[in-house]
Amino acid sequence: MRSANALSLSPASETKWTVIAGPMKGAVRLMNLPSFAVGRSSECEFVILNDANCSRKHGQVQWSDEGYEVVSLNDSNLVLVNGKPVTRSRLSDSDVVTFGNTEIIFNLTTLPTVGPAGLPSLHAVPSMPASMPPPAYPPSPYARPDHSSAQRPYRPSPGHSAPKSKNKLIIIAVIGGLIIWFFSIDSKKKKEALKLRTEQQITEDIDTANKLKEAADSTRGKKVDLSLTGRQAQENYVRGFRDYRKGQYERALESFQACLALNPTHSLCNLYTRLANRKFGELVQFHIVLGRKYRDQNQFQACRSSFRNVMVMVKDANSASYKEAKANYEACNALLQGRY
């Protein structure tokens, strides 16, 4: 029988595998099996595509009482864990596991909550507050009204007298005069509007209307052209943004540059062009540093793969990064051939 500590452990319900280098770069796999094979063969539960340096059955990932571990299934083509070849190795969260040219980050996603002796732990249920404020009830209809602050009706004092009739007549006369003046102005405006126009005025109005129509047609045509160009620029931006999210920075740069060719003032295309250039440069430097590490550790096959990736990414034979990668690739290739 296993010990109590061993009984309190159970395999993770899911493990996450994120490909960071190789033909499947950017792919993410979630595995919920306690044991599965990794390789190019379709018989494997985790199939590596388009990697000639990966064996048909390259490695086996399995659960034990101590956690997940990886086992090499090909003695001449070992699995690498954090850059070191292993025949069997226990895996920790965020370890980098390499099968051929395919580098994958291993992550534990979820683990069951367990208590003493392997029993599930109970989560505390939040309790109600000790005291609650008393509810507000509407006032009783039988309550006696409070008239202490009620306003009393206005009562004029005996000495106050009403306005005199003379003042009333003056106010009425002023209002009547204003009404008559207003209607007289409105009638004059209507008469001026109904006057007949001359033939010259009519011709001038026609010319003005024709000019307005021509200007409107020209503006509408320009708006259609601008909307078409803007739509094409936006399509290129969306395509480039998707590639940027997937880590395909070289393809993303092509789309962003096409967007700027159509609309040089596109703010997001300008922003992500700078970001994609920086990310692409960081990725090139990552592979160069990794290749040097493999070279210093005498892992010449992995060294050759890293520098070959740099040459494929940069493409410019005159670039310093390309020349460095080519020199190291040829050195690692020669050392690998000399080993055999």
Side-chain angles (χ1 to χ4, degrees):
M1 296 180 62
R2 292 186 296 176
S3 63
N5 291 334
L7 289 174
S8 65
L9 294 171
S10 60
S13 60
E14 252 183 1
T15 55
K16 180 181 178 182
W17 301 78
T18 306
V19 182
I20 60 172
M24 295 176 60
K25 181 179 178 181
V28 178
R29 290 287 304 274
L30 297 177
M31 304 298 293
N32 55 6
L33 300 173
S35 177
F36 57 89
V38 183
R40 288 188 295 108
S41 174
S42 59
E43 298 176 359
C44 297
E45 288 79 9
F46 193 128
V47 180
I48 303 294
L49 301 175
N50 303 325
D51 189 347
N53 291 325
C54 179
S55 301
R56 291 179 58 80
K57 288 191 176 181
H58 201 115
Q60 181 79 20
V61 178
Q62 57 193 24
W63 170 263
S64 67
D65 290 343
E66 296 180 355
Y68 276 99
E69 62 180 6
V70 62
V71 181
S72 292
L73 300 180
N74 191 328
D75 294 336
S76 61
N77 193 9
L78 297 178
V79 176
L80 305 181
V81 176
N82 296 324
K84 297 181 180 180
V86 298
T87 55
R88 179 186 295 269
S89 175
R90 183 177 177 184
L91 295 177
S92 300
D93 194 47
S94 299
D95 278 351
V96 178
V97 187
T98 305
F99 303 92
N101 291 335
T102 303
E103 299 177 7
I104 312 175
I105 294 180
F106 163 79
N107 290 113
L108 289 170
T109 56
T110 54
L111 283 170
T113 305
V114 294
L119 297 178
S121 64
L122 298 178
H123 297 281
V125 178
S127 59
M128 296 296 291
S131 62
M132 297 290 290
Y137 295 101
S140 171
Y142 301 103
R144 188 173 181 179
D146 184 11
H147 296 290
S148 58
S149 61
Q151 293 184 354
R152 299 173 180 261
Y154 170 75
R155 294 179 181 178
S157 59
H160 181 75
S161 59
K164 297 180 179 180
S165 58
K166 183 177 179 181
N167 293 336
K168 288 184 178 180
L169 292 175
I170 294 173
I171 294 172
I172 293 172
V174 171
I175 294 174
L178 291 173
I179 293 173
I180 294 171
W181 174 78
F182 175 78
F183 280 107
S184 64
I185 291 177
D186 188 48
S187 62
K188 288 181 180 179
K189 289 182 179 180
K190 289 181 179 179
K191 289 180 181 179
E192 291 176 356
L194 293 175
K195 288 182 179 179
L196 295 177
R197 294 180 300 162
T198 64
E199 185 176 353
Q200 182 179 358
Q201 291 174 335
I202 294 173
T203 303
E204 291 175 354
D205 287 344
I206 293 174
D207 291 340
T208 302
N210 289 333
K211 291 178 181 178
L212 291 174
K213 180 178 178 298
E214 291 174 0
D217 291 340
S218 176
T219 304
R220 185 170 61 253
K222 291 180 180 178
K223 287 183 178 179
V224 170
D225 293 339
L226 291 175
S227 64
L228 178 61
T229 303
R231 185 166 61 251
Q232 291 174 345
Q234 186 67 16
E235 289 174 357
N236 281 284
Y237 162 71
V238 172
R239 189 180 304 110
F241 182 74
R242 289 174 181 169
D243 290 333
Y244 179 87
R245 292 289 300 273
K246 293 178 182 177
Q248 302 292 338
Y249 303 119
E250 186 175 4
R251 287 169 48 185
L253 280 171
E254 294 177 358
S255 298
F256 292 142
Q257 288 168 358
C259 169
L260 292 176
L262 295 167
N263 183 7
T265 61
H266 197 293
S267 58
L268 290 176
C269 282
N270 279 292
L271 171 63
Y272 278 97
T273 297
R274 294 193 298 272
L275 293 178
N277 270 315
R278 186 172 65 187
K279 290 289 186 181
F280 181 75
E282 291 174 356
L283 188 60
V284 169
Q285 289 301 316
F286 169 78
H287 283 288
I288 290 176
V289 172
L290 191 63
R292 292 173 185 163
K293 179 180 178 182
Y294 288 147
R295 182 194 62 194
D296 297 339
Q297 294 176 351
N298 296 329
Q299 299 178 28
F300 303 123
Q301 185 175 357
C303 164
R304 186 179 63 178
S305 299
S306 294
F307 286 115
R308 182 175 58 190
N309 287 338
V310 174
M311 295 168 64
V312 172
M313 291 168 61
V314 175
K315 295 185 181 66
D316 183 8
N318 297 321
S319 171
S321 298
Y322 184 92
K323 292 178 181 178
E324 180 183 1
K326 183 179 179 181
N328 281 279
Y329 172 80
E330 292 173 351
C332 291
N333 189 45
L335 291 170
L336 181 63
Q337 292 175 359
R339 172 184 289 180
Y340 295 106

